[in-house]
Amino acid sequence: MNPIDDATLQAYVDGELDAAARARVDALLAQDPAQAHRVQQLQALNAQLRAAFDPVLDEPVPAHLTAMLQPRTTAAATPTSLAGRRRTHAAPHHRPRRWMLPGAALAASVALLAVGLWWHAGNGLVRTHNGESYAAGALVRALDQSLASEPDAQAPVAIGLSFRAADGHICRTFTIRTPPSRSGLACRAATGWALPVIAPMAPVESGELRQAASDLPPTVQAAVDARLHGNVFNARQERAARAAGWR
Amino acid sequence: MDSSDAVREGLIPLLPRLRRLARALAGQVADADDLVQIVLERALARATQWRPDSPLDKWVFAIARNAWRDELRARGRTAKLFASEEAGETVADPTGTQPAQQLELAAALATLSPDQREVVALVLVEGLSYDEAAALLEVPVGTVTSRLARARTALQALLGNDA
């Protein structure tokens, strides 16, 4: 009887053999318990690797990665389906990269920097602290004080929906009405209102700008979906959260 | 639609697989997503080099593999991604969200040579055929299978199921 060499066994467990070769190996394995045991070990290792890394496929993709693939000029409107796309786990926060050397980190920051420059060219509504973006100026005042249940059509910032994220922090979506109009998500942190995502609003046909929460840019919508755990605040809950200092 | 639009739109559904490959290569969530960010930047910058009649996933996986190699080189450590002084961080996932099983496998993979590790990531995690992996790595198929065999022996010894 022909012994099965290791290369053939490996090809067998990796599905690289054609039907005829596979049948030959099956027949030989039936006669050779030691080799059959070896095949089981190889298959177990394959299964272990898949079990460890396949769950990544089900993780929400971090918003800053999705944002890199959005068209630069217009953000396509997508229908809101919070309930349908709700996630129970918060997306991993983007942390300062200690892994990269400065050069690589610089290159990696180009897209974010471009967004940042465009954003900072606006009107001082964002500050950065340790590389993270935070609300500043009128944006802080709106996030601290404004209620979606009491909309003010003249206010420079409109608040959309508020909710408690899976990590326990309160998050609120907002739209800045002054051009260039932008929408984003703000989440209450110890150091202020962190801004995990900001994105331009697409002009509608009339030349006006979308301001409703239902017309959030896809990247903002994705960031909301990744964090939402439970229900969006109603008017009473929103007011109570403001009274509690958004804690 | 120009090639850059085609690449950008084509990459969106590939993001989960790209993150899985990066996780197998880089180990930790933050490192892996940093790698994905670099890969996306490179892919978008080189979009005109993608031939629409070729599979986008293999193209971007090759970019990922090369970017990972560049990062290893930049770190000056070709043998291990996680040096000993970072071992504590490797074990203690700062976000607490990375499954223990994944951390265990990532730690085992980190002990492999880059040659072996990328073959494991491409064939065993990502599911590429030997031929596809050989084409992507620009090595003969025999090189892929021999690296894979050595990697398996090492992993089985590490993971304690070689009895």
mmCIF file of all heavy atoms in Angstrom, chain A residues 10 14 16 37 41 46 48 50 52 54 57 59 69 72 94-95 97-101 107-108, chain B residues 8 19-20 23 30-31 34 37 41 71 74-75 89 95 102 124 129-130 145 149 152 156 161 163:
data_model
loop_
_atom_site.group_PDB
_atom_site.id
_atom_site.type_symbol
_atom_site.label_atom_id
_atom_site.label_comp_id
_atom_site.label_asym_id
_atom_site.label_seq_id
_atom_site.Cartn_x
_atom_site.Cartn_y
_atom_site.Cartn_z
ATOM 1 N N GLN A 10 -1.660 17.386 3.569
ATOM 2 C CA GLN A 10 -1.956 18.811 3.736
ATOM 3 C C GLN A 10 -2.900 19.304 2.641
ATOM 4 O O GLN A 10 -3.877 20.013 2.916
ATOM 5 C CB GLN A 10 -0.640 19.599 3.701
ATOM 6 C CG GLN A 10 -0.845 21.102 3.744
ATOM 7 C CD GLN A 10 0.463 21.851 3.960
ATOM 8 O OE1 GLN A 10 0.805 22.189 5.073
ATOM 9 N NE2 GLN A 10 1.181 22.108 2.882
ATOM 10 N N ASP A 14 -6.744 20.829 2.998
ATOM 11 C CA ASP A 14 -6.984 22.175 2.486
ATOM 12 C C ASP A 14 -7.889 22.186 1.257
ATOM 13 O O ASP A 14 -8.078 23.235 0.637
ATOM 14 C CB ASP A 14 -5.644 22.863 2.159
ATOM 15 C CG ASP A 14 -4.874 23.218 3.430
ATOM 16 O OD1 ASP A 14 -5.515 23.355 4.487
ATOM 17 O OD2 ASP A 14 -3.643 23.343 3.362
ATOM 18 N N GLU A 16 -7.413 20.864 -1.679
ATOM 19 C CA GLU A 16 -6.672 21.138 -2.915
ATOM 20 C C GLU A 16 -6.627 19.945 -3.853
ATOM 21 O O GLU A 16 -6.068 20.038 -4.949
ATOM 22 C CB GLU A 16 -5.234 21.571 -2.566
ATOM 23 C CG GLU A 16 -5.144 22.926 -1.900
ATOM 24 C CD GLU A 16 -5.104 24.075 -2.905
ATOM 25 O OE1 GLU A 16 -4.644 23.871 -4.044
ATOM 26 O OE2 GLU A 16 -5.545 25.182 -2.551
ATOM 27 N N HIS A 37 -5.514 9.994 12.169
ATOM 28 C CA HIS A 37 -5.392 10.852 13.346
ATOM 29 C C HIS A 37 -4.673 12.156 12.976
ATOM 30 O O HIS A 37 -5.046 13.248 13.409
ATOM 31 C CB HIS A 37 -4.614 10.106 14.441
ATOM 32 C CG HIS A 37 -4.415 10.927 15.686
ATOM 33 N ND1 HIS A 37 -5.464 11.401 16.451
ATOM 34 C CD2 HIS A 37 -3.281 11.371 16.297
ATOM 35 C CE1 HIS A 37 -4.984 12.091 17.470
ATOM 36 N NE2 HIS A 37 -3.662 12.097 17.394
ATOM 37 N N GLN A 41 -5.941 16.118 13.249
ATOM 38 C CA GLN A 41 -5.219 17.217 13.897
ATOM 39 C C GLN A 41 -5.100 18.423 12.971
ATOM 40 O O GLN A 41 -5.269 19.571 13.389
ATOM 41 C CB GLN A 41 -3.822 16.757 14.312
ATOM 42 C CG GLN A 41 -3.813 15.824 15.505
ATOM 43 C CD GLN A 41 -2.423 15.336 15.824
ATOM 44 O OE1 GLN A 41 -1.577 15.238 14.921
ATOM 45 N NE2 GLN A 41 -2.185 15.015 17.069
ATOM 46 N N ASN A 46 -7.089 23.918 11.362
ATOM 47 C CA ASN A 46 -7.820 24.775 10.413
ATOM 48 C C ASN A 46 -9.073 25.360 11.067
ATOM 49 O O ASN A 46 -9.362 26.550 10.956
ATOM 50 C CB ASN A 46 -8.228 23.974 9.174
ATOM 51 C CG ASN A 46 -7.080 23.788 8.205
ATOM 52 O OD1 ASN A 46 -5.935 24.043 8.552
ATOM 53 N ND2 ASN A 46 -7.381 23.325 7.007
ATOM 54 N N GLN A 48 -9.678 25.758 14.207
ATOM 55 C CA GLN A 48 -9.313 26.673 15.292
ATOM 56 C C GLN A 48 -9.017 28.071 14.735
ATOM 57 O O GLN A 48 -9.417 29.085 15.313
ATOM 58 C CB GLN A 48 -8.077 26.111 15.991
ATOM 59 C CG GLN A 48 -7.945 26.454 17.441
ATOM 60 C CD GLN A 48 -6.796 25.710 18.108
ATOM 61 O OE1 GLN A 48 -6.257 24.745 17.546
ATOM 62 N NE2 GLN A 48 -6.418 26.147 19.282
ATOM 63 N N ARG A 50 -10.121 29.343 11.884
ATOM 64 C CA ARG A 50 -11.353 29.966 11.383
ATOM 65 C C ARG A 50 -12.198 30.464 12.549
ATOM 66 O O ARG A 50 -12.765 31.559 12.495
ATOM 67 C CB ARG A 50 -12.168 28.966 10.541
ATOM 68 C CG ARG A 50 -11.438 28.401 9.341
ATOM 69 C CD ARG A 50 -11.006 29.481 8.366
ATOM 70 N NE ARG A 50 -12.110 30.198 7.764
ATOM 71 C CZ ARG A 50 -12.350 30.225 6.457
ATOM 72 N NH1 ARG A 50 -11.575 29.569 5.616
ATOM 73 N NH2 ARG A 50 -13.345 30.925 5.978
ATOM 74 N N ALA A 52 -11.220 31.475 15.345
ATOM 75 C CA ALA A 52 -10.622 32.640 15.988
ATOM 76 C C ALA A 52 -10.835 33.906 15.164
ATOM 77 O O ALA A 52 -11.080 34.981 15.721
ATOM 78 C CB ALA A 52 -9.126 32.403 16.214
ATOM 79 N N ASP A 54 -12.801 34.258 11.999
ATOM 80 C CA ASP A 54 -14.039 34.508 11.261
ATOM 81 C C ASP A 54 -14.978 35.496 11.958
ATOM 82 O O ASP A 54 -15.689 36.244 11.276
ATOM 83 C CB ASP A 54 -14.771 33.188 10.976
ATOM 84 C CG ASP A 54 -14.174 32.463 9.776
ATOM 85 O OD1 ASP A 54 -13.245 33.019 9.145
ATOM 86 O OD2 ASP A 54 -14.632 31.352 9.463
ATOM 87 N N LEU A 57 -15.523 39.048 10.735
ATOM 88 C CA LEU A 57 -16.441 39.372 9.630
ATOM 89 C C LEU A 57 -17.761 39.953 10.143
ATOM 90 O O LEU A 57 -18.430 40.689 9.431
ATOM 91 C CB LEU A 57 -16.730 38.119 8.797
ATOM 92 C CG LEU A 57 -15.534 37.473 8.105
ATOM 93 C CD1 LEU A 57 -15.956 36.192 7.399
ATOM 94 C CD2 LEU A 57 -14.897 38.444 7.109
ATOM 95 N N GLU A 59 -18.030 41.784 12.955
ATOM 96 C CA GLU A 59 -17.853 43.026 13.711
ATOM 97 C C GLU A 59 -18.276 44.220 12.860
ATOM 98 O O GLU A 59 -18.070 44.216 11.656
ATOM 99 C CB GLU A 59 -16.366 43.216 14.084
ATOM 100 C CG GLU A 59 -15.831 42.203 15.059
ATOM 101 C CD GLU A 59 -14.336 42.415 15.295
ATOM 102 O OE1 GLU A 59 -13.796 43.455 14.859
ATOM 103 O OE2 GLU A 59 -13.725 41.523 15.906
ATOM 104 N N LEU A 69 -14.028 55.378 2.197
ATOM 105 C CA LEU A 69 -14.505 54.864 0.913
ATOM 106 C C LEU A 69 -15.742 55.602 0.423
ATOM 107 O O LEU A 69 -16.370 55.201 -0.551
ATOM 108 C CB LEU A 69 -14.797 53.363 1.038
ATOM 109 C CG LEU A 69 -13.572 52.528 1.429
ATOM 110 C CD1 LEU A 69 -13.956 51.061 1.598
ATOM 111 C CD2 LEU A 69 -12.471 52.659 0.393
ATOM 112 N N ARG A 72 -16.074 61.686 -2.401
ATOM 113 C CA ARG A 72 -15.615 62.924 -1.780
ATOM 114 C C ARG A 72 -16.569 64.086 -1.977
ATOM 115 O O ARG A 72 -16.645 64.969 -1.154
ATOM 116 C CB ARG A 72 -14.244 63.319 -2.352
ATOM 117 C CG ARG A 72 -13.144 62.431 -1.860
ATOM 118 C CD ARG A 72 -11.830 62.812 -2.488
ATOM 119 N NE ARG A 72 -10.844 61.775 -2.284
ATOM 120 C CZ ARG A 72 -10.744 60.703 -3.033
ATOM 121 N NH1 ARG A 72 -11.564 60.541 -4.044
ATOM 122 N NH2 ARG A 72 -9.845 59.779 -2.790
ATOM 123 N N HIS A 94 -11.132 54.399 17.632
ATOM 124 C CA HIS A 94 -9.838 54.550 16.993
ATOM 125 C C HIS A 94 -8.887 55.189 17.971
ATOM 126 O O HIS A 94 -9.126 56.282 18.457
ATOM 127 C CB HIS A 94 -9.973 55.407 15.734
ATOM 128 C CG HIS A 94 -8.754 55.302 14.877
ATOM 129 N ND1 HIS A 94 -8.098 56.384 14.392
ATOM 130 C CD2 HIS A 94 -8.078 54.226 14.455
ATOM 131 C CE1 HIS A 94 -7.062 55.988 13.691
ATOM 132 N NE2 HIS A 94 -7.023 54.679 13.706
ATOM 133 N N ARG A 95 -7.834 54.501 18.271
ATOM 134 C CA ARG A 95 -6.875 55.005 19.251
ATOM 135 C C ARG A 95 -5.642 55.527 18.537
ATOM 136 O O ARG A 95 -5.371 55.174 17.410
ATOM 137 C CB ARG A 95 -6.474 53.871 20.196
ATOM 138 C CG ARG A 95 -7.588 53.455 21.124
ATOM 139 C CD ARG A 95 -7.108 52.369 22.046
ATOM 140 N NE ARG A 95 -6.779 51.163 21.337
ATOM 141 C CZ ARG A 95 -7.678 50.293 20.932
ATOM 142 N NH1 ARG A 95 -8.943 50.517 21.156
ATOM 143 N NH2 ARG A 95 -7.329 49.205 20.286
ATOM 144 N N ARG A 97 -2.122 55.598 17.204
ATOM 145 C CA ARG A 97 -1.406 54.394 16.799
ATOM 146 C C ARG A 97 0.006 54.389 17.357
ATOM 147 O O ARG A 97 0.835 55.181 16.971
ATOM 148 C CB ARG A 97 -1.393 54.275 15.279
ATOM 149 C CG ARG A 97 -0.859 55.483 14.550
ATOM 150 C CD ARG A 97 -0.928 55.263 13.073
ATOM 151 N NE ARG A 97 -2.284 55.153 12.598
ATOM 152 C CZ ARG A 97 -3.103 56.176 12.472
ATOM 153 N NH1 ARG A 97 -2.722 57.374 12.806
ATOM 154 N NH2 ARG A 97 -4.316 55.993 12.006
ATOM 155 N N ARG A 98 0.250 53.516 18.323
ATOM 156 C CA ARG A 98 1.595 53.396 18.848
ATOM 157 C C ARG A 98 2.377 52.402 18.004
ATOM 158 O O ARG A 98 3.575 52.247 18.134
ATOM 159 C CB ARG A 98 1.548 52.924 20.293
ATOM 160 C CG ARG A 98 1.038 51.550 20.403
ATOM 161 C CD ARG A 98 0.731 51.125 21.792
ATOM 162 N NE ARG A 98 -0.391 50.238 21.789
ATOM 163 C CZ ARG A 98 -0.411 49.107 21.097
ATOM 164 N NH1 ARG A 98 0.611 48.733 20.412
ATOM 165 N NH2 ARG A 98 -1.468 48.351 21.107
ATOM 166 N N TRP A 99 1.670 51.662 17.129
ATOM 167 C CA TRP A 99 2.306 50.619 16.359
ATOM 168 C C TRP A 99 3.146 51.208 15.237
ATOM 169 O O TRP A 99 4.156 50.664 14.844
ATOM 170 C CB TRP A 99 1.229 49.698 15.783
ATOM 171 C CG TRP A 99 1.749 48.488 15.105
ATOM 172 C CD1 TRP A 99 2.612 47.566 15.612
ATOM 173 C CD2 TRP A 99 1.419 48.049 13.789
ATOM 174 N NE1 TRP A 99 2.836 46.579 14.695
ATOM 175 C CE2 TRP A 99 2.126 46.851 13.566
ATOM 176 C CE3 TRP A 99 0.603 48.553 12.776
ATOM 177 C CZ2 TRP A 99 2.016 46.148 12.375
ATOM 178 C CZ3 TRP A 99 0.497 47.840 11.601
ATOM 179 C CH2 TRP A 99 1.201 46.659 11.415
ATOM 180 N N MET A 100 2.710 52.329 14.726
ATOM 181 C CA MET A 100 3.325 52.875 13.525
ATOM 182 C C MET A 100 4.529 53.757 13.864
ATOM 183 O O MET A 100 4.564 54.410 14.890
ATOM 184 C CB MET A 100 2.319 53.740 12.766
ATOM 185 C CG MET A 100 1.059 53.021 12.410
ATOM 186 S SD MET A 100 1.397 51.724 11.222
ATOM 187 C CE MET A 100 -0.197 50.906 11.207
ATOM 188 N N LEU A 101 5.454 53.776 12.939
ATOM 189 C CA LEU A 101 6.508 54.772 13.047
ATOM 190 C C LEU A 101 5.930 56.104 12.584
ATOM 191 O O LEU A 101 4.925 56.153 11.894
ATOM 192 C CB LEU A 101 7.681 54.376 12.162
ATOM 193 C CG LEU A 101 8.447 53.173 12.690
ATOM 194 C CD1 LEU A 101 9.622 52.874 11.769
ATOM 195 C CD2 LEU A 101 8.946 53.407 14.100
ATOM 196 N N ALA A 107 1.545 59.098 6.974
ATOM 197 C CA ALA A 107 0.867 58.678 5.746
ATOM 198 C C ALA A 107 -0.541 58.208 6.050
ATOM 199 O O ALA A 107 -1.485 58.515 5.333
ATOM 200 C CB ALA A 107 1.669 57.567 5.070
ATOM 201 N N ALA A 108 -0.664 57.497 7.172
ATOM 202 C CA ALA A 108 -1.976 56.952 7.515
ATOM 203 C C ALA A 108 -2.962 58.046 7.874
ATOM 204 O O ALA A 108 -4.164 57.853 7.850
ATOM 205 C CB ALA A 108 -1.827 55.969 8.684
ATOM 206 N N ARG B 8 -13.135 52.230 -5.100
ATOM 207 C CA ARG B 8 -13.712 52.650 -3.821
ATOM 208 C C ARG B 8 -14.997 51.882 -3.518
ATOM 209 O O ARG B 8 -15.185 51.367 -2.422
ATOM 210 C CB ARG B 8 -13.977 54.155 -3.855
ATOM 211 C CG ARG B 8 -14.147 54.757 -2.477
ATOM 212 C CD ARG B 8 -14.203 56.263 -2.538
ATOM 213 N NE ARG B 8 -15.182 56.709 -3.507
ATOM 214 C CZ ARG B 8 -14.930 57.602 -4.470
ATOM 215 N NH1 ARG B 8 -13.759 58.146 -4.560
ATOM 216 N NH2 ARG B 8 -15.874 57.936 -5.317
ATOM 217 N N ARG B 19 -10.335 43.286 7.052
ATOM 218 C CA ARG B 19 -10.070 43.401 8.496
ATOM 219 C C ARG B 19 -9.684 42.044 9.081
ATOM 220 O O ARG B 19 -8.849 41.959 9.966
ATOM 221 C CB ARG B 19 -11.299 43.967 9.227
ATOM 222 C CG ARG B 19 -11.563 45.423 8.922
ATOM 223 C CD ARG B 19 -12.715 45.963 9.753
ATOM 224 N NE ARG B 19 -12.315 46.222 11.125
ATOM 225 C CZ ARG B 19 -12.971 45.765 12.189
ATOM 226 N NH1 ARG B 19 -14.037 45.004 12.049
ATOM 227 N NH2 ARG B 19 -12.542 46.052 13.399
ATOM 228 N N ARG B 20 -10.318 40.974 8.601
ATOM 229 C CA ARG B 20 -9.970 39.639 9.097
ATOM 230 C C ARG B 20 -8.530 39.289 8.735
ATOM 231 O O ARG B 20 -7.764 38.792 9.566
ATOM 232 C CB ARG B 20 -10.933 38.586 8.516
ATOM 233 C CG ARG B 20 -10.598 37.165 8.949
ATOM 234 C CD ARG B 20 -11.622 36.162 8.448
ATOM 235 N NE ARG B 20 -11.653 36.090 6.991
ATOM 236 C CZ ARG B 20 -12.426 35.268 6.285
ATOM 237 N NH1 ARG B 20 -13.243 34.443 6.919
ATOM 238 N NH2 ARG B 20 -12.398 35.259 4.975
ATOM 239 N N ARG B 23 -6.207 41.267 10.823
ATOM 240 C CA ARG B 23 -6.174 40.778 12.203
ATOM 241 C C ARG B 23 -5.240 39.579 12.320
ATOM 242 O O ARG B 23 -4.479 39.457 13.279
ATOM 243 C CB ARG B 23 -7.593 40.409 12.650
ATOM 244 C CG ARG B 23 -7.800 40.221 14.139
ATOM 245 C CD ARG B 23 -7.870 41.537 14.888
ATOM 246 N NE ARG B 23 -8.942 42.403 14.433
ATOM 247 C CZ ARG B 23 -10.191 42.367 14.889
ATOM 248 N NH1 ARG B 23 -10.524 41.521 15.829
ATOM 249 N NH2 ARG B 23 -11.096 43.206 14.418
ATOM 250 N N ALA B 30 -6.361 47.198 17.194
ATOM 251 C CA ALA B 30 -5.927 48.552 16.830
ATOM 252 C C ALA B 30 -4.851 48.507 15.749
ATOM 253 O O ALA B 30 -4.899 49.264 14.776
ATOM 254 C CB ALA B 30 -5.399 49.288 18.069
ATOM 255 N N ASP B 31 -3.888 47.603 15.910
ATOM 256 C CA ASP B 31 -2.833 47.471 14.904
ATOM 257 C C ASP B 31 -3.427 47.062 13.564
ATOM 258 O O ASP B 31 -3.047 47.566 12.510
ATOM 259 C CB ASP B 31 -1.813 46.407 15.341
ATOM 260 C CG ASP B 31 -1.039 46.838 16.578
ATOM 261 O OD1 ASP B 31 -1.055 48.036 16.886
ATOM 262 O OD2 ASP B 31 -0.426 45.963 17.206
ATOM 263 N N ASP B 34 -5.274 49.905 11.940
ATOM 264 C CA ASP B 34 -4.296 50.861 11.403
ATOM 265 C C ASP B 34 -3.754 50.352 10.075
ATOM 266 O O ASP B 34 -3.571 51.125 9.127
ATOM 267 C CB ASP B 34 -3.136 51.054 12.389
ATOM 268 C CG ASP B 34 -3.532 51.940 13.572
ATOM 269 O OD1 ASP B 34 -4.598 52.579 13.493
ATOM 270 O OD2 ASP B 34 -2.777 51.981 14.549
ATOM 271 N N GLN B 37 -6.280 50.858 7.387
ATOM 272 C CA GLN B 37 -6.322 52.261 6.958
ATOM 273 C C GLN B 37 -5.214 52.551 5.940
ATOM 274 O O GLN B 37 -5.449 53.211 4.919
ATOM 275 C CB GLN B 37 -6.180 53.154 8.184
ATOM 276 C CG GLN B 37 -6.320 54.634 7.865
ATOM 277 C CD GLN B 37 -6.401 55.491 9.122
ATOM 278 O OE1 GLN B 37 -6.694 54.990 10.204
ATOM 279 N NE2 GLN B 37 -6.150 56.766 8.973
ATOM 280 N N GLU B 41 -5.670 53.600 1.931
ATOM 281 C CA GLU B 41 -5.017 54.775 1.343
ATOM 282 C C GLU B 41 -4.205 54.381 0.116
ATOM 283 O O GLU B 41 -4.266 55.040 -0.923
ATOM 284 C CB GLU B 41 -4.110 55.444 2.386
ATOM 285 C CG GLU B 41 -4.888 56.292 3.367
ATOM 286 C CD GLU B 41 -4.098 56.572 4.643
ATOM 287 O OE1 GLU B 41 -2.918 56.176 4.725
ATOM 288 O OE2 GLU B 41 -4.683 57.179 5.557
ATOM 289 N N GLU B 71 5.548 47.614 7.245
ATOM 290 C CA GLU B 71 5.475 48.008 8.651
ATOM 291 C C GLU B 71 6.456 47.193 9.490
ATOM 292 O O GLU B 71 7.098 47.721 10.389
ATOM 293 C CB GLU B 71 4.054 47.826 9.181
ATOM 294 C CG GLU B 71 3.055 48.802 8.590
ATOM 295 C CD GLU B 71 3.463 50.238 8.832
ATOM 296 O OE1 GLU B 71 3.960 50.542 9.929
ATOM 297 O OE2 GLU B 71 3.308 51.050 7.917
ATOM 298 N N ALA B 74 9.804 48.571 8.866
ATOM 299 C CA ALA B 74 9.959 49.877 9.507
ATOM 300 C C ALA B 74 10.208 49.722 11.000
ATOM 301 O O ALA B 74 10.901 50.512 11.619
ATOM 302 C CB ALA B 74 8.709 50.724 9.267
ATOM 303 N N ARG B 75 9.650 48.690 11.558
ATOM 304 C CA ARG B 75 9.858 48.456 12.981
ATOM 305 C C ARG B 75 11.215 47.823 13.248
ATOM 306 O O ARG B 75 11.650 47.755 14.381
ATOM 307 C CB ARG B 75 8.805 47.498 13.532
ATOM 308 C CG ARG B 75 7.426 48.066 13.570
ATOM 309 C CD ARG B 75 6.534 47.071 14.243
ATOM 310 N NE ARG B 75 5.953 47.635 15.445
ATOM 311 C CZ ARG B 75 5.451 46.919 16.436
ATOM 312 N NH1 ARG B 75 5.505 45.624 16.410
ATOM 313 N NH2 ARG B 75 4.912 47.505 17.466
ATOM 314 N N GLU B 89 0.994 43.918 26.847
ATOM 315 C CA GLU B 89 -0.100 44.546 26.108
ATOM 316 C C GLU B 89 -0.803 43.560 25.196
ATOM 317 O O GLU B 89 -2.001 43.639 24.983
ATOM 318 C CB GLU B 89 0.450 45.680 25.233
ATOM 319 C CG GLU B 89 0.734 46.962 25.975
ATOM 320 C CD GLU B 89 1.136 48.043 24.996
ATOM 321 O OE1 GLU B 89 0.271 48.478 24.237
ATOM 322 O OE2 GLU B 89 2.313 48.405 24.979
ATOM 323 N N THR B 95 -9.096 47.071 25.038
ATOM 324 C CA THR B 95 -10.516 47.343 24.838
ATOM 325 C C THR B 95 -11.381 46.283 25.484
ATOM 326 O O THR B 95 -12.571 46.491 25.677
ATOM 327 C CB THR B 95 -10.856 47.401 23.345
ATOM 328 O OG1 THR B 95 -10.615 46.100 22.779
ATOM 329 C CG2 THR B 95 -10.007 48.427 22.625
ATOM 330 N N GLN B 102 -9.064 34.426 19.940
ATOM 331 C CA GLN B 102 -8.368 35.157 18.889
ATOM 332 C C GLN B 102 -7.008 35.648 19.375
ATOM 333 O O GLN B 102 -6.007 35.567 18.655
ATOM 334 C CB GLN B 102 -9.228 36.345 18.471
ATOM 335 C CG GLN B 102 -8.827 36.975 17.169
ATOM 336 C CD GLN B 102 -9.772 38.118 16.836
ATOM 337 O OE1 GLN B 102 -9.481 39.270 17.097
ATOM 338 N NE2 GLN B 102 -10.910 37.789 16.272
ATOM 339 N N LEU B 124 -5.178 29.690 5.267
ATOM 340 C CA LEU B 124 -6.003 29.066 6.301
ATOM 341 C C LEU B 124 -7.057 30.020 6.864
ATOM 342 O O LEU B 124 -8.148 29.596 7.228
ATOM 343 C CB LEU B 124 -5.119 28.531 7.435
ATOM 344 C CG LEU B 124 -4.086 27.481 7.014
ATOM 345 C CD1 LEU B 124 -3.416 26.872 8.234
ATOM 346 C CD2 LEU B 124 -4.719 26.402 6.147
ATOM 347 N N SER B 129 -6.655 29.604 -2.405
ATOM 348 C CA SER B 129 -6.058 28.344 -2.840
ATOM 349 C C SER B 129 -4.542 28.501 -2.842
ATOM 350 O O SER B 129 -4.020 29.616 -2.787
ATOM 351 C CB SER B 129 -6.554 27.978 -4.236
ATOM 352 O OG SER B 129 -5.994 28.873 -5.186
ATOM 353 N N TYR B 130 -3.854 27.363 -2.911
ATOM 354 C CA TYR B 130 -2.390 27.425 -2.975
ATOM 355 C C TYR B 130 -1.957 28.266 -4.179
ATOM 356 O O TYR B 130 -1.018 29.067 -4.087
ATOM 357 C CB TYR B 130 -1.792 26.014 -3.103
ATOM 358 C CG TYR B 130 -1.991 25.107 -1.913
ATOM 359 C CD1 TYR B 130 -1.704 23.746 -2.004
ATOM 360 C CD2 TYR B 130 -2.448 25.588 -0.681
ATOM 361 C CE1 TYR B 130 -1.860 22.888 -0.930
ATOM 362 C CE2 TYR B 130 -2.618 24.740 0.406
ATOM 363 C CZ TYR B 130 -2.335 23.389 0.274
ATOM 364 O OH TYR B 130 -2.497 22.535 1.332
ATOM 365 N N THR B 145 3.404 25.632 -0.085
ATOM 366 C CA THR B 145 3.048 24.419 0.661
ATOM 367 C C THR B 145 4.116 24.078 1.708
ATOM 368 O O THR B 145 3.778 23.623 2.798
ATOM 369 C CB THR B 145 2.819 23.229 -0.288
ATOM 370 O OG1 THR B 145 3.982 23.064 -1.113
ATOM 371 C CG2 THR B 145 1.618 23.465 -1.169
ATOM 372 N N ALA B 149 3.409 23.920 5.686
ATOM 373 C CA ALA B 149 3.666 22.709 6.480
ATOM 374 C C ALA B 149 4.490 23.044 7.717
ATOM 375 O O ALA B 149 4.191 22.579 8.826
ATOM 376 C CB ALA B 149 4.384 21.671 5.618
ATOM 377 N N ARG B 152 2.375 24.926 10.237
ATOM 378 C CA ARG B 152 1.430 24.035 10.939
ATOM 379 C C ARG B 152 2.123 23.275 12.051
ATOM 380 O O ARG B 152 1.588 23.126 13.153
ATOM 381 C CB ARG B 152 0.825 23.049 9.945
ATOM 382 C CG ARG B 152 -0.269 23.643 9.124
ATOM 383 C CD ARG B 152 -0.849 22.602 8.193
ATOM 384 N NE ARG B 152 -2.251 22.860 7.962
ATOM 385 C CZ ARG B 152 -2.782 22.962 6.737
ATOM 386 N NH1 ARG B 152 -2.040 22.802 5.674
ATOM 387 N NH2 ARG B 152 -4.057 23.208 6.609
ATOM 388 N N GLN B 156 0.981 23.715 15.879
ATOM 389 C CA GLN B 156 0.460 22.586 16.642
ATOM 390 C C GLN B 156 1.276 22.366 17.915
ATOM 391 O O GLN B 156 0.722 22.015 18.951
ATOM 392 C CB GLN B 156 0.445 21.328 15.767
ATOM 393 C CG GLN B 156 -0.661 21.415 14.719
ATOM 394 C CD GLN B 156 -0.776 20.171 13.878
ATOM 395 O OE1 GLN B 156 0.241 19.614 13.470
ATOM 396 N NE2 GLN B 156 -1.988 19.743 13.611
ATOM 397 N N ASN B 161 -1.774 20.808 20.624
ATOM 398 C CA ASN B 161 -2.629 19.731 20.119
ATOM 399 C C ASN B 161 -1.903 18.893 19.078
ATOM 400 O O ASN B 161 -2.457 18.475 18.079
ATOM 401 C CB ASN B 161 -3.946 20.272 19.554
ATOM 402 C CG ASN B 161 -3.712 21.438 18.630
ATOM 403 O OD1 ASN B 161 -2.557 21.709 18.273
ATOM 404 N ND2 ASN B 161 -4.772 22.115 18.229
ATOM 405 N N ALA B 163 -0.420 16.111 20.073
ATOM 406 C CA ALA B 163 -0.248 14.802 20.703
ATOM 407 C C ALA B 163 -0.828 13.697 19.822
ATOM 408 O O ALA B 163 -1.731 13.952 19.043
ATOM 409 C CB ALA B 163 -0.927 14.784 22.067
#
